[in-house]
Amino acid sequence: MTTFVGVRHTAEIVAREGVARMISGMIGYLEHDFSRWQEFEKLPRIPSHTPFGVIELMPASDAETYAFKYVNGHPWNPASGYQTVTAFGVLADVHNGYPVFVSEMTLLTALRTAATSSLVARYLARADASVAAFIGTGSQSEFQAIGLSTVRSLRQLRIWDVDAAAMDKFERNMSPLGIEIVRATSAADAVRGADIVTTCTADKAMATVLHAAQIEPGVHINAIGGDCPGKTELEPAILDSGPVFVEFTPQTRIEGEIQQMPEDFPVVEFWQVVQGIHPGRSRAEEVTIYDSVGFAIEDFSALRYLRDVARAQGLSADIDLVAEPEDPKDLYGLVGEFSPVG
């Protein structure tokens, strides 16, 4: 049997643990896997692009476990009552190839993305960072805000979205945090005085939601919205303002903000910071940029974390996913149990 954790189980696990605790726990798994980055087999995600959006497979494996995530990105879905992003994922035993864990990953991806951004901010944002700005208050924004609050003592959240209802939603959901929420009048207003800026817009376009002239010394930028070819959020000049950190360079050059830059544009893979190979932020006034597109090893970490928490809480089910005849060479025997020959 294969262990299955669906949407209801995941939602119940999050409700029991709390979003902040889930993100904190996931940060630990992510940090562990970034610290052993060289042990993984890695390749860019495998996309299928259509005029409507993209469907992708994201695989990664180490010597024990293979993982993949199926994920879509359809930016116009909300207008039809569908979510922009949905996903599910699998863990398999590399020794026999059997899938051992299957999970929803729509909720889990939101938690994973927030956990990764928060881990990066813990390493790269100034230690005294207390004001976070969010350009885009869609489905990812609350998770990002809670995640950042676990790694920095935030006193103010500054928000901007072209959709006023999205800002209403953010204020309603985040007011229990007890952090001051400032509703900005523009993106420029939102980032004014911010220590950490998160861009998380959904439009599939070469957009510029953040300009170089708006960047203040010492800010850390989590650019998480640009995640496919032809989709960006930052003015290219921003990328020249400080070191740019990425997950897996071959994938980010295709999908990230650096798709706007020459092929030899220098970047630092974040695992090098975790492992102490690169110092990360070198001085308080330095601008640091995290060009995030999401990478399969992060899903590997998130799936393992959810599997372990679900097991501890007893919130999972068994599904009959893999045929297991008594005689491994007699697959037909399974059919013969139910059907007459002929």
Side-chain angles (χ1 to χ4, degrees), residues 78 114 142 166:
E142 291 93 344

Side-chain angles (χ1 to χ4, degrees), residues 184-305:
T185 57
S186 65
D189 183 33
V191 302
R192 193 171 294 119
D195 306 309
I196 301 171
V197 174
T198 300
T199 56
C200 46
T201 56
D203 286 346
K204 188 177 180 181
M206 297 288 281
T208 301
V209 301
L210 191 62
H211 295 265
Q214 299 164 346
I215 303 303
E216 299 181 7
V219 72
H220 170 67
I221 301 169
N222 277 337
I224 69 170
D227 57 1
C228 67
K231 182 183 179 187
T232 63
E233 297 179 313
L234 306 184
E235 183 182 12
I238 292 176
L239 302 173
D240 289 317
S241 63
V244 176
F245 299 85
V246 303
E247 291 134 319
F248 184 56
T249 306
Q251 180 172 295
T252 310
R253 291 206 187 277
I254 297 169
E255 303 177 345
E257 297 296 330
I258 60 172
Q259 68 183 273
Q260 307 174 81
M261 310 303 281
E263 274 295 311
D264 60 352
F265 180 78
V267 296
V268 179
E269 292 193 340
F270 179 66
W271 65 267
Q272 295 176 289
V273 181
V274 175
Q275 294 185 19
I277 298 169
H278 189 279
R281 174 177 291 274
S282 61
R283 60 191 189 281
E285 65 273 18
E286 184 175 50
V287 173
T288 54
I289 303 117
Y290 174 48
D291 184 4
S292 173
V293 298
F295 188 59
I297 292 175
E298 297 155 16
D299 300 313
F300 180 101
S301 306
L303 282 165
R304 289 193 306 107
Y305 173 74

